[in-house]
């Protein structure tokens, strides 16, 4: 099934599509206007049409346009050597990544088994200005189709030292994590973070490059595989499980999970920092589940990509509005995927 397969290499398990394929719920290195790209002015970008990855400064002294460039990128908090973050016993703030319009926050959450579980928060952000200068960055999360403000970032400063970029910022969460189904202590406080290097393909990326075309938000519009599954079956599979069958004595009876909401859509976001986000969404376009992982190009022609260092997709068609690829997955299962860009 599609959702189990995209994630578990069996059919696309939307619950884990993360292992199979790049929701967003973020991440996303292209703006909503990225179909009309503008060449980045910084000489180090080598005429790339992707947002400048070398911006720095105090956000409080910048306009919204300048601040977007400054915060753009993947900022590692938990792994930062200069981290001054709070010591939270049950949660670790791993990173926050900003694109031109969205963010993804990655957390590691302690569990009873002793092995940390991953948790992700994805949504849009807003730059608040006073007198043409940015005073805060608001983070939003979709609940029942409505964006609610969950946190704000202030006192953001990015410093470049020998081509290394380090940031400091304050974050204040204004809701309890359990309101968005994440069991975690309050992570409000002061943080320092280092910026992860962008993918090599970022530098010099033209508007005709597959790299530029693919780093955006996509909605799965069609799916088929060699076992006869289609998109409808894949979405339904999100809420199915194998139960005991008294007739066979095996756990081969497929039943619906009580209380489970069958997803309405499935989205994928790719960023120029090698991050992907997958989201299963309900009928109000609010996330049922968010997963993150990594992706990279396999060849110089940018026609093949690798997901989580596990499986490879081969692109058959790609534009700024449509994306199609094929894959050979677990036990020889072949699949075809079609995505449509989300405005």
């Amino acid at each position: 099934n599609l959702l189990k397969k995209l994630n578990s290499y069996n059919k696309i398990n939307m619950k884990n599509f993360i292992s199979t394929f790049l929701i967003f719920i973020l991440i996303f290195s292209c703006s909503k206007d990225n179909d009309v790209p503008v060449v980045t002015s910084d000489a180090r970008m080598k005429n790339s049409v992707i947002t400048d990855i070398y911006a720095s400064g105090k956000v409080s002294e910048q306009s919204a346009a300048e601040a977007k460039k400054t915060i753009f990128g993947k900022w590692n908090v938990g792994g930062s050597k200069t981290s001054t973050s709070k010591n939270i016993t049950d949660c670790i703030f791993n990173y926050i990544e900003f694109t031109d319009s969205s963010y993804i926050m990655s957390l590691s959450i302690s569990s009873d088994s002793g092995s940390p579980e991953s948790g992700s928060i994805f949504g849009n952000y807003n730059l608040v200005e006073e007198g043409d200068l940015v005073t805060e960055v608001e983070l939003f999360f979709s609940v029942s189709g409505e964006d609610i403000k969950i946190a704000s970032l202030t006192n953001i400063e990015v410093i470049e030292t020998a081509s290394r970029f380090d940031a400091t910022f304050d974050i204040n969460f204004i809701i309890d994590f359990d309101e968005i189904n994440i069991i975690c202590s309050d992570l409000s406080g002061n943080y320092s973070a280092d910026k992860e290097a962008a993918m090599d393909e970022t530098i010099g990326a033209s508007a005709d490059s597959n790299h530029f075309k693919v780093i955006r938000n996509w909605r799965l519009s069609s799916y088929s595989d060699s076992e006869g599954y289609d998109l409808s079956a894949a979405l339904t599979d999100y809420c199915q499980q194998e139960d005991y069958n008294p007739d066979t004595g095996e756990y081969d009876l497929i039943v619906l999970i009580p209380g489970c909401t069958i997803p309405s859509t499935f989205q994928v976001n790719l960023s120029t920092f090698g991050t992907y986000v997958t989201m299963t969404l309900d009928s109000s376009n609010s996330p049922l589940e968010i997963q993150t992982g990594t992706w990279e190009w396999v060849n110089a022609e940018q026609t093949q990509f690798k997901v989580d260092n596990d499986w490879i997709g081969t692109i058959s068609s790609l534009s700024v509005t449509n994306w199609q690829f094929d894959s050979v997955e677990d036990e020889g299962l072949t699949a075809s995927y079609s995505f449509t860009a989300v405005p």
Side-chain angles (χ1 to χ4, degrees):
N1 29 66
L2 173 60
L3 302 182
K4 286 177 176 172
K5 195 172 56 136
L6 271 165
N7 269 303
S8 60
Y9 314 119
N10 284 326
K11 303 163 184 135
I12 186 175
N13 183 353
M14 267 185 161
K15 292 183 174 181
N16 288 325
F17 189 151
I18 146 181
S19 8
T20 289
F21 188 53
L22 328 174
I23 166 187
F24 240 154
I25 161 223
L26 190 94
I27 277 190
F28 321 105
S29 4
C30 293
S31 68
K32 293 181 180 178
D33 300 322
N34 55 18
D35 54 335
V36 186
V38 177
V39 172
T40 303
S41 59
D42 192 304
R44 291 175 291 182
M45 292 294 291
K46 298 182 179 180
N47 295 323
S48 176
V49 294
I50 295 174
T51 299
D52 187 6
I53 62 174
Y54 297 110
S56 61
K58 290 184 177 180
V59 167
S60 61
E61 299 174 356
Q62 298 177 334
S63 66
E66 294 170 327
K68 275 194 174 185
K69 297 177 182 178
T70 299
I71 66 175
F72 181 73
K74 182 177 180 179
W75 300 94
N76 295 311
V77 178
S80 173
K81 294 181 180 179
T82 59
S83 177
T84 58
S85 62
K86 287 184 175 182
N87 181 17
I88 304 298
T89 56
D90 61 344
C91 289
I92 296 175
F93 185 178
N94 296 317
Y95 68 82
I96 185 169
E97 181 172 350
F98 289 97
T99 65
D100 290 322
S101 60
S102 307
Y103 76 92
I104 181 72
M105 184 182 297
S106 173
L107 307 173
S108 292
I109 306 168
S110 298
S111 64
D112 294 336
S113 65
S115 299
E117 299 177 353
S118 61
S120 299
I121 306 172
F122 171 84
N124 299 318
Y125 69 87
N126 177 56
L127 300 174
V128 179
E129 290 182 284
E130 290 184 9
D132 296 326
L133 297 178
V134 174
T135 58
E136 70 172 301
V137 179
E138 299 175 311
L139 305 183
F140 294 88
F141 185 78
S142 179
V143 177
S144 299
E146 179 181 357
D147 275 354
I148 62 171
K149 181 179 177 180
I150 64 169
S152 64
L153 278 73
T154 56
N155 299 320
I156 305 170
E157 182 175 11
V158 175
I159 298 175
E160 179 183 4
T161 306
S163 298
R164 172 191 171 96
F165 291 82
D166 296 289
T168 55
F169 59 90
D170 296 333
I171 186 168
N172 179 41
F173 287 92
I174 60 177
I175 66 165
D176 292 329
F177 280 107
D178 56 7
E179 293 182 38
I180 53 177
N181 298 319
I182 292 180
I183 308 303
C184 192
S185 298
D186 183 13
L187 291 175
S188 299
N190 173 262
Y191 291 88
S192 63
D194 60 82
K195 189 174 187 177
E196 185 160 314
M199 299 172 68
D200 292 340
E201 292 81 3
T202 304
I203 306 302
S206 71
D208 293 328
S209 67
N210 276 358
H211 186 71
F212 169 75
K213 293 174 184 176
V214 83
I215 50 174
R216 62 195 67 231
N217 187 18
W218 300 95
R219 177 182 292 111
L220 187 62
S221 57
S222 175
Y223 170 82
S224 62
D225 66 32
S226 57
E227 293 186 353
Y229 282 83
D230 59 13
L231 180 56
S232 177
L235 293 171
T236 301
D237 179 67
Y238 180 82
C239 285
Q240 290 179 331
Q241 65 181 9
E242 293 182 344
D243 206 349
Y244 180 74
N245 187 340
D247 294 332
T248 63
E250 304 288 341
Y251 282 85
D252 57 5
L253 184 63
I254 305 301
V255 298
L256 287 175
I257 300 172
C260 180
T261 300
I262 296 177
S264 175
T265 58
F266 182 82
Q267 290 187 11
V268 172
N269 279 278
L270 304 183
S271 88
T272 198
F273 290 86
T275 306
Y276 75 76
V277 183
T278 64
M279 294 188 294
T280 54
L281 305 176
D282 62 19
S283 58
S284 69
N285 282 327
S286 292
L288 297 169
E289 186 169 42
I290 301 173
Q291 299 286 351
T292 63
T294 60
W295 75 282
E296 62 182 314
W297 291 110
V298 173
N299 57 0
E301 295 78 18
Q302 299 177 7
T303 57
Q304 291 187 313
F305 57 89
K306 183 181 292 185
V307 181
D308 288 333
N309 204 33
D310 283 317
W311 64 267
I312 294 175
T314 300
I315 296 173
S316 56
S317 177
L318 177 62
S319 68
V320 295
T321 57
N322 293 282
W323 176 26
Q324 298 177 350
F325 69 89
D326 302 307
S327 65
V328 178
E329 301 175 20
D330 192 40
E331 298 181 354
L333 180 70
T334 60
S336 297
Y337 305 85
S338 294
F339 288 84
T340 302
V342 179

